[in-house]
Amino acid sequence: MLTSERRTSQDVRAGRYERTRVYLRALLFADAVAALVGALVAYALHPDGSDSANLQIFPLRLAVALMPPSWALALWLQRAYDPRRIGTDPELFRKVLGASGLLAAGLAASALLVDSMSLFRQIIVAIPLAAALTPIARAAARAGLSRAGLNVEQRKVLLVGHARSVAGFAAQVRPNRAPWLRIVGACLVGPTEPEEEENLAINVQGDLSSVVETASAMECDAVVVLNCPEVDGPALRELSWRLHEQGVDLAIVPVLVGVAAERILVDTVDGLPLMHIRAPILSGPIRAVKGAVERAIAAAALLLLSPLMLALAVTVRLTSAGPAFFRQVRVGLNGAEFVCLKFRTMVADAEQLRDQLEHLNEKSDGVLFKIRRDPRITGVGRILRKCSLDELPQLINVLRGEMSLVGPRPPLPEEVAQYTDEVRHRLAVKPGITGLWQVSGRSMLSWDESVRLDLSYVENWSPQLDAKILLRTTSAVVRGTGAF
């Protein structure tokens, strides 16, 4: 019996290893193709070079031949072939950018050594092309493997922790945000009430003593241990040894949930890991630069979009009675109130009709008021909301300094009146036209989810985070998800 179980476990590990090996080979081939195409295009632009040296042709052809292995090496140094990220890698663009810098520095030094300006010009073309083509080539490789029946993008995960922690983790890590992660079960730690276990939307497979056997039987790729005092240092070390013998990864969710990795610095004190948390950036030169840049962008956008905004204003006035703009008092930085501008998307007396529609409110939390098919919305207003065009006048608020391009959702005064001390941290920065709440579901989000995303933005703000949100906003607007 034990021999059979051991053989089964070995077969599972061997199958997982073989799938991972084939997948990594496919990624390596895709990266090599992307690099080769970039090098060939660059060579086609400068086939013979223009240098006077006799070595002008050889360095160019050598660069073409060495580009694929050099690009793969640069990506490997950026951990782009980490088996734990063999599926959709959320940090792929950062890794590609880092690999581009490494390879550019190395090849530029080589160009200087051989005194070849043509080689330098080829580098300028080849590396950006390889960087742009790599994500496309990898996506094509993943699609090909999926059609061939080899789908290793989803990693099966077993959760370990208290029932409340398991439920919270599962609710936060939703499939649409982490499609590569599939929670297949949980092993509960500590005393659990029957109703807590019944309310879990995850199959409970056992307790702490059965983690290794459960992970092996369910062919899990990883075990995620949520914060619980029962799994202390010695227990965690023993668990990691046993899991690694089965070829299963071990991950730990720290106590500080919602803290971005960029804010965490791990140090050691006498061999013990010490985690430092950087304070949120709420003021200072970087924030001042953010405000100045956003005002400049808002001014330029208003100038470029003024014909469109004029046309929309006229359309709103002609299709329904009332003003073109909807003015509403919102709460901004440090609780200061301001008048938020939007194109009017509802009938003129929409505010007076709200009490009559209270029974249709789809937000049971009692703070937000949202109706998927609100009868007060006009035909043109529905289109404006779907495309987020109704928010264009808020560029004026940005130009005035009342709002930012990116920030928390601007709340109503009656919402702020219900804030707890924790939620009031949302007011530590200016509200934004877009934010994590918009690119993560907008009106489909619950009150708690909206608060969590806004607080996460305030605590983890960085220029890089703003750039990511702006890029994701384009996709969110095109899809129209949660816009009602």
Side-chain angles (χ1 to χ4, degrees):
M1 180 68 176
L2 291 177
T3 303
S4 176
E5 291 179 355
R6 187 179 297 110
R7 185 181 298 114
T8 302
S9 178
Q10 291 174 351
D11 291 342
V12 170
R13 293 200 304 272
R16 185 187 298 119
Y17 173 78
E18 180 63 22
R19 290 194 302 271
T20 302
R21 186 173 63 87
V22 172
Y23 196 90
L24 290 177
R25 282 183 176 180
L27 292 186
L28 184 62
F29 177 76
D31 296 340
V33 170
L36 183 60
V37 170
L40 289 175
V41 170
Y43 182 78
L45 296 176
H46 303 284
D48 299 322
S50 58
D51 301 332
S52 59
N54 293 328
L55 294 177
Q56 59 184 14
I57 300 177
F58 177 72
L60 298 179
R61 293 179 176 176
L62 182 62
V64 172
L66 293 180
M67 184 66 179
S70 301
W71 181 241
L73 176 61
L75 287 172
W76 178 77
L77 292 174
Q78 294 293 317
R79 303 187 68 178
Y81 300 105
D82 189 340
R84 293 169 297 180
R85 294 291 189 185
I86 57 179
T88 303
D89 190 348
E91 297 184 352
L92 177 60
F93 292 102
R94 179 188 64 79
K95 293 174 181 178
V96 168
L97 186 61
S100 301
L102 286 176
L103 191 57
L107 293 182
S110 301
L112 292 175
L113 288 176
V114 300
D115 192 22
S116 175
M117 184 56 66
S118 295
L119 177 58
F120 189 78
R121 287 197 296 268
Q122 185 173 351
I123 294 169
I124 294 176
V125 177
I127 294 179
L129 272 177
L133 291 174
T134 293
I136 300 174
R138 286 195 168 203
R142 289 196 300 269
L145 290 175
S146 297
R147 284 195 296 268
L150 184 66
N151 185 10
V152 292
E153 290 193 12
Q154 277 199 335
R155 291 172 59 81
K156 296 181 180 180
V157 170
L158 178 69
L159 302 182
V160 179
H162 294 283
R164 181 177 298 179
S165 300
V166 168
F169 182 88
Q172 182 169 338
V173 183
R174 298 187 298 179
N176 62 327
R177 297 181 190 170
W180 53 272
L181 187 148
R182 176 187 169 197
I183 301 174
V184 296
C187 288
L188 300 184
V189 177
T192 305
E193 297 295 333
E195 57 271 16
E196 289 182 331
E197 186 171 331
E198 291 177 1
N199 292 333
L200 279 177
I202 303 172
N203 294 327
V204 178
Q205 303 295 332
D207 54 18
L208 183 60
S209 63
S210 59
V211 171
V212 178
E213 292 76 11
T214 301
S216 178
M218 302 188 72
E219 301 183 13
C220 292
D221 299 289
V223 169
V224 176
V225 178
L226 308 176
N227 178 58
C228 51
E230 290 83 354
V231 188
D232 55 9
L236 197 61
R237 185 164 52 248
E238 180 183 355
L239 180 61
S240 68
W241 288 343
R242 296 179 61 194
L243 287 174
H244 291 158
E245 288 176 356
Q246 302 294 325
V248 180
D249 290 333
L250 175 65
I252 304 171
V253 176
V255 179
L256 289 171
V257 178
V259 177
E262 294 79 9
R263 293 179 57 203
I264 300 176
L265 173 64
V266 179
D267 197 0
T268 56
V269 176
D270 197 17
L272 297 175
L274 189 64
M275 185 181 298
H276 296 270
I277 308 297
R278 174 181 59 78
I281 304 175
L282 301 178
S283 60
I286 300 181
R287 279 287 183 179
V289 171
K290 167 183 165 71
V293 170
E294 289 186 332
R295 286 192 178 192
I297 293 175
L302 284 171
L303 183 63
L304 292 174
L305 297 174
S306 55
L308 173 62
M309 295 178 64
L310 178 61
L312 292 177
V314 172
T315 302
V316 172
R317 287 293 305 272
L318 292 178
T319 54
S320 62
F325 294 99
F326 175 66
R327 295 172 172 84
Q328 189 176 46
V329 176
R330 298 286 179 123
V331 180
L333 179 65
N334 297 324
E337 294 185 353
F338 67 97
V339 177
C340 183
L341 300 175
K342 285 187 176 185
F343 283 122
R344 182 175 55 82
T345 59
M346 293 185 174
V347 295
D349 58 344
E351 291 296 302
Q352 289 73 29
L353 297 175
R354 173 172 170 171
D355 291 341
Q356 303 176 20
L357 301 173
E358 193 69 42
H359 64 286
L360 299 177
N361 186 12
E362 298 179 14
K363 298 296 181 181
S364 58
D365 44 54
V367 180
L368 299 178
F369 183 85
K370 291 290 182 181
I371 304 175
R372 189 176 299 272
R373 298 189 178 277
D374 198 319
R376 299 173 299 172
I377 300 178
T378 64
V380 171
R382 197 170 302 279
I383 298 175
L384 293 179
R385 289 193 173 201
K386 189 70 175 179
C387 302
S388 295
L389 293 175
D390 61 316
E391 297 176 357
L392 286 180
Q394 292 178 21
L395 291 169
I396 299 174
N397 293 116
V398 176
L399 189 61
R400 292 175 178 173
E402 299 163 337
M403 293 181 64
S404 294
L405 292 180
V406 183
R409 185 184 64 84
L412 294 166
E414 53 265 33
E415 295 174 7
V416 176
Q418 302 181 55
Y419 279 5
T420 63
D421 290 340
E422 178 186 11
V423 180
R424 289 193 68 86
H425 283 95
R426 299 172 76 186
L427 307 179
V429 299
K430 295 178 183 178
I433 298 178
T434 185
L436 284 176
W437 49 274
Q438 187 175 43
V439 300
S440 302
R442 302 170 73 178
S443 297
M444 295 178 64
L445 297 174
S446 67
W447 166 250
D448 290 338
E449 288 175 313
S450 176
V451 168
R452 181 182 61 80
L453 289 172
D454 282 345
L455 291 179
S456 175
Y457 174 82
V458 172
E459 294 176 2
N460 300 310
W461 176 82
S462 68
Q464 294 84 356
L465 179 58
D466 273 2
K468 290 180 181 178
I469 293 174
L470 288 173
L471 288 174
R472 290 176 59 189
T473 298
T474 304
S475 175
V477 170
V478 171
R479 295 194 311 269
T481 305
F484 59 84

